[in-house]
Amino acid sequence: MTFCLNPSCSHPKNPESVSHCQKCGSALLLRNRYRALTPIGQGGFGITYLAVDEDRLGTRCVIKQFVPKIEGSGSRQQASLEKAIQLFNQEALRLCELGEHRQIPTLLAFFEQDKRLYLVQEFIDGQNLWQELVEEGAFSEQQVRQVLAQMLPVLKFIHGHRVIHRDITPANILRRQRDGQLMLIDFGVAKLLSHSSMGQTGTKIGTHGYAPLEQMRSGKAYPASDLYSLGVTCLHLLTNVKPEHLYDPLTGWTWREHLFNQGKAISDQLGQILDRMVQEMVRERYQSADEVINELNELPASSLPSPTIAPPPSAKPATASVAGNKSDESAIQATVNAPAAVSKPRSRGWRCVQTLQGHSSWVTSIAIGPNSHILASGSLDDTIKIWNLHTGELLRTLFGHLNAVNSVAISPDGQVVASCSDDGNIKLWAISTGHLLSTLVGHLRDINSVAISSDGQILASGSEDRTVKLWQLAEAAEQPQSFPARNLSGRSGMIKSVAISADGHFVASGGLDNNIHIWNLANGEVFNTLSSHFNSVNSVAISPDGKILASGSKDQTIKLWSMAAGATTPLRTLSGHAGMVNSVIFSPQGSTLITGSSDKTIKLWHVATGKLLGTLSGHLGAVNAVAISSDGKTIVSGSWDKTIKIWRWFP
């Protein structure tokens, strides 16, 4: 069925086969690609529809149509209409400014058609926390901690982009069905925070009971305002009592009394955190999401959930065994039944031998040194850690970035580690001492990826400013501050990943435009553009012989491409992950591809045939990064569960 988007149409339902409404004659495809299936929500600004994108093989999406209900008359009605248009435009602007975050629905399009405004977003299949509360009753302490552990990093992200959400409620937090990930939705009343606006009166907006006094009285909003709303949301979930019944003007918050009357209690530590989040005075609350995260991390580890999904009571330690035949990589078969650490394995295969803990937030990136002795990891906790890969000992922690570390790379001589961050800088560090050698400046936005050429001469970086920049590594390491030797720009969207071919002739980039661009390093021109993914390209890798490129995408697939000139279609598509693919790497021999995904697994694939060789399971959160040692016998994975796992091959 196709639903007509003309608000005045009296019979909007149409057969899928027709192109125009049989009742009113309106065209049924927006921009000749988006087809509405059925209304799924209606509010003051308009109607939300479940839809499909015909240009992406019928992928489901959401259409928000701006049809405001305006009361009053004359100038007052016009002013209300203008404000409604401003807020609708604001939602698109905020989503665009935030770029892409794994817990915020992606903005796909924003346009006007037939004198009506439309916003098209990624479809999130799941229930909001209000629906969960109605169906399942009050949340447990563990569930509330899970909500905090998942939502606070999102607030840290949006506040880092100077955006205040202003309407955090159980109805605006969705739990994605496929992986249980919490998603923050509805940025229609979000506000861009600036130094000049912090003290100014603004529009009084928010949901009664959840919004703090500064929003409802004067329209002012701060990061602490969102923390207040999240705290009230948690109190509602914990007690199953609406916020207006949890506060007494004479005595203050009464949520503890409600819990007592229900025969329930929570730990004093969590209670103190919630109390501070919902203080009436802004200055008495936490001032940043990081402050709350730090106090949550101090709670007993045995009771604190992971940042993604708390493990079920029956969860076992991380285990994996991948058995094989005479070929070292090409015939691996996976089972998940071995102990987490094995000194004398009884069968061949990959096994988790150690779990490294030390980061206080998600592990975003990892790199192994050329001698396989050193491991570097980057995290949303703004640090880089250097580990002894053989013993698991933490050697040192590198401080200097002002925001999340997104990627790390180690030079071929094992002397330097490069890191890039949301703070817009690349830093070079001496691995042996941890000293900061240089800061590379030039990108205008968050930097998501760094790669070093096999000869150690070139460092490539990819950023949300839509450029790839090239740096002379040796020269940069000798100067406190360095600038790029070359800028590659003009063809790509926001860049998520870069890779340099082994011969140093090409650099590949992938990102939010769903494409892979291959640049010729000799002249800085695009050598090829590869288009086949239906969503963002999160990771790219080039085989050791330089003949094949692998790409992992948010569309949950991996594609293998020929690097030959003129090749624009994938050699094969690898499907099997149940979540977006975050990291792809080739084995040193090039015969196996290793991939990490938000489905919490690592998969091994035979490059020549595309056959799935095995699956390594054990992480409690999404696998964000994978790396393999130069001898091909050790795989390392980093996850949103804050841990790094070391997997070894036992012959």
Side-chain angles (χ1 to χ4, degrees):
M1 182 183 72
T2 303
F3 212 90
C4 177
L5 294 174
N6 178 1
S8 302
C9 183
S10 58
H11 292 86
K13 296 181 180 180
N14 290 269
E16 185 176 338
S17 58
V18 301
S19 60
H20 288 75
C21 179
Q22 295 176 329
K23 180 63 178 179
C24 69
S26 299
L28 294 176
L29 287 184
L30 285 177
R31 283 197 165 182
N32 294 316
R33 64 181 293 183
Y34 302 111
R35 180 165 59 88
L37 300 179
T38 184
I40 56 176
Q42 186 166 354
F45 291 163
I47 306 172
T48 302
Y49 297 88
L50 175 64
V52 293
D53 184 349
E54 300 290 4
D55 281 4
R56 295 174 59 202
L57 302 180
T59 302
R60 288 194 293 179
C61 57
V62 169
I63 295 173
K64 290 188 176 182
Q65 181 190 55
F66 180 64
V67 188
K69 297 178 180 179
I70 303 299
E71 299 179 354
S73 61
S75 60
R76 182 174 182 180
Q77 184 181 48
Q78 181 61 31
S80 297
L81 176 61
E82 290 176 358
K83 187 60 182 180
I85 293 173
Q86 177 188 345
L87 291 172
F88 192 80
N89 285 324
Q90 187 169 282
E91 178 167 15
L93 179 62
R94 295 296 171 262
L95 290 170
C96 184
E97 287 171 345
L98 292 174
E100 182 164 333
H101 187 279
R102 57 184 66 90
Q103 290 173 265
I104 298 173
T106 303
L107 175 67
L108 302 177
F110 180 64
F111 55 89
E112 180 180 345
Q113 183 169 313
D114 299 329
K115 297 183 179 181
R116 288 187 288 271
L117 294 174
Y118 292 93
L119 185 153
V120 183
Q121 276 185 284
E122 171 191 10
F123 172 70
I124 306 298
D125 189 10
Q127 286 188 315
N128 62 44
L129 297 189
W130 173 273
Q131 292 168 317
E132 288 189 9
L133 188 65
V134 170
E135 292 184 5
E136 302 176 17
F139 281 35
S140 67
E141 175 174 354
Q142 190 77 354
Q143 288 174 306
V144 168
R145 292 192 186 189
Q146 182 192 49
V147 171
L148 289 170
Q150 290 197 35
M151 295 313 300
L152 286 167
V154 185
L155 294 188
K156 177 181 177 180
F157 172 80
I158 68 171
H159 294 165
H161 285 71
R162 300 186 301 116
V163 171
I164 310 299
H165 188 278
R166 298 201 296 175
D167 197 22
I168 296 173
T169 70
N172 284 336
I173 301 175
L174 278 177
R175 190 183 302 279
R176 190 164 54 198
Q177 185 177 26
R178 73 168 186 264
D179 58 4
Q181 182 71 60
L182 294 182
M183 309 286 291
L184 183 59
I185 65 169
D186 199 350
F187 282 76
V189 298
K191 181 177 183 178
L192 184 63
L193 181 68
S194 65
H195 291 296
S196 61
S197 70
M198 287 182 68
Q200 295 179 354
T201 300
T203 303
K204 302 173 185 179
I205 202 162
T207 300
H208 178 70
Y210 299 94
L213 288 177
E214 66 269 16
Q215 275 185 222
M216 303 307 290
R217 286 180 176 174
S218 63
K220 297 178 181 178
Y222 313 87
S225 306
D226 279 349
L227 295 176
Y228 177 97
S229 298
L230 179 59
V232 175
T233 293
C234 289
L235 294 181
H236 185 184
L237 297 173
L238 192 64
T239 61
N240 200 6
V241 176
K242 293 181 179 179
E244 55 265 34
H245 301 308
L246 291 175
Y247 187 84
D248 186 312
L250 297 177
T251 61
W253 289 100
T254 60
W255 63 270
R256 280 186 171 83
E257 288 86 339
H258 284 277
L259 277 186
F260 179 81
N261 293 334
Q262 296 169 11
K264 298 167 55 179
I266 64 168
S267 65
D268 290 339
Q269 300 99 315
L270 179 60
Q272 291 169 9
I273 290 174
L274 294 174
D275 280 339
R276 187 175 172 190
M277 291 178 73
V278 298
Q279 288 294 310
E280 183 172 334
M281 301 297 292
V282 176
R283 65 174 178 268
E284 295 177 358
R285 298 178 210 145
Y286 298 102
Q287 299 302 299
S288 70
D290 260 338
E291 291 184 30
V292 193
I293 291 171
N294 290 337
E295 293 210 6
L296 277 176
N297 288 336
E298 293 177 3
L299 297 181
S302 59
S303 58
L304 185 63
S306 69
T308 52
I309 305 170
S314 59
K316 298 179 180 180
T319 62
S321 172
V322 185
N325 56 26
K326 294 181 180 180
S327 171
D328 63 333
E329 292 181 309
S330 63
I332 306 173
Q333 300 296 324
T335 60
V336 186
N337 55 12
V342 181
S343 58
K344 295 182 180 180
R346 292 173 293 178
S347 61
R348 308 162 55 95
W350 290 100
R351 300 181 186 274
C352 179
V353 297
Q354 197 163 14
T355 298
L356 308 183
Q357 297 179 325
H359 281 295
S360 61
S361 190
W362 306 344
V363 179
T364 57
S365 56
I366 48 178
I368 300 176
N371 57 12
S372 300
H373 294 159
I374 294 296
L375 172 71
S377 60
S379 168
L380 293 189
D381 65 11
D382 308 345
T383 71
I384 303 100
K385 292 186 182 292
I386 307 298
W387 314 77
N388 183 314
L389 183 56
H390 292 306
T391 66
E393 177 188 2
L394 176 60
L395 301 178
R396 57 189 56 88
T397 299
L398 311 181
F399 299 93
H401 282 295
L402 302 178
N403 216 320
V405 176
N406 296 320
S407 179
V408 292
I410 296 177
S411 61
D413 61 8
Q415 300 301 307
V416 174
V417 60
S419 60
C420 66
S421 167
D422 281 353
D423 64 13
N425 292 323
I426 302 162
K427 293 185 181 293
L428 304 180
W429 314 79
I431 289 180
S432 60
T433 63
H435 291 159
L436 177 62
L437 301 174
S438 180
T439 298
L440 315 186
V441 297
H443 281 296
L444 302 178
R445 295 192 62 178
D446 305 0
I447 307 172
N448 292 321
S449 181
V450 289
I452 298 175
S453 61
S454 58
D455 62 5
Q457 297 299 308
I458 300 295
L459 182 144
S461 56
S463 166
E464 291 185 8
D465 65 9
R466 302 172 184 263
T467 70
V468 174
K469 297 188 185 298
L470 305 178
W471 318 74
Q472 294 292 335
L473 185 61
E475 294 179 9
E478 295 176 355
Q479 305 174 48
Q481 190 175 77
S482 184
F483 298 90
R486 170 172 281 174
N487 296 315
L488 310 180
S489 61
R491 293 291 297 274
S492 65
M494 295 182 182
I495 296 169
K496 298 277 286 184
S497 178
V498 294
I500 304 176
S501 61
D503 60 13
H505 292 166
F506 305 105
V507 61
S509 66
L512 303 194
D513 61 359
N514 305 354
N515 296 326
I516 301 104
H517 302 281
I518 304 175
W519 311 78
N520 188 321
L521 291 185
N523 56 26
E525 296 180 355
V526 171
F527 167 76
N528 211 345
T529 297
L530 309 177
S531 304
S532 184
H533 282 294
F534 298 134
N535 212 320
S536 307
V537 177
N538 292 334
S539 180
V540 293
I542 301 174
S543 63
D545 61 9
K547 295 181 179 180
I548 297 176
L549 181 142
S551 57
S553 169
K554 191 175 179 179
D555 66 14
Q556 304 184 12
T557 70
I558 304 105
K559 294 185 183 292
L560 300 179
W561 313 77
S562 170
M563 288 285 285
T568 58
T569 57
L571 297 170
R572 57 185 55 86
T573 298
L574 311 181
S575 301
H577 279 298
M580 61 182 174
V581 181
N582 299 317
S583 183
V584 296
I585 57 166
F586 285 94
S587 65
Q589 297 84 354
S591 59
T592 300
L593 186 74
I594 302 98
T595 60
S597 167
S598 292
D599 65 9
K600 311 179 195 176
T601 70
I602 302 105
K603 291 186 182 292
L604 299 93
W605 312 80
H606 188 221
V607 172
T609 64
K611 178 183 178 183
L612 177 61
L613 303 174
T615 300
L616 310 182
S617 301
H619 279 294
L620 300 178
V623 177
N624 209 42
V626 289
I628 190 168
S629 61
S630 57
D631 61 7
K633 296 180 179 179
T634 302
I635 293 173
V636 181
S637 55
S639 169
W640 296 359
D641 65 12
K642 308 181 188 179
T643 71
I644 299 164
K645 291 189 181 295
I646 300 174
W647 314 80
R648 293 228 166 88
W649 172 260
F650 291 93

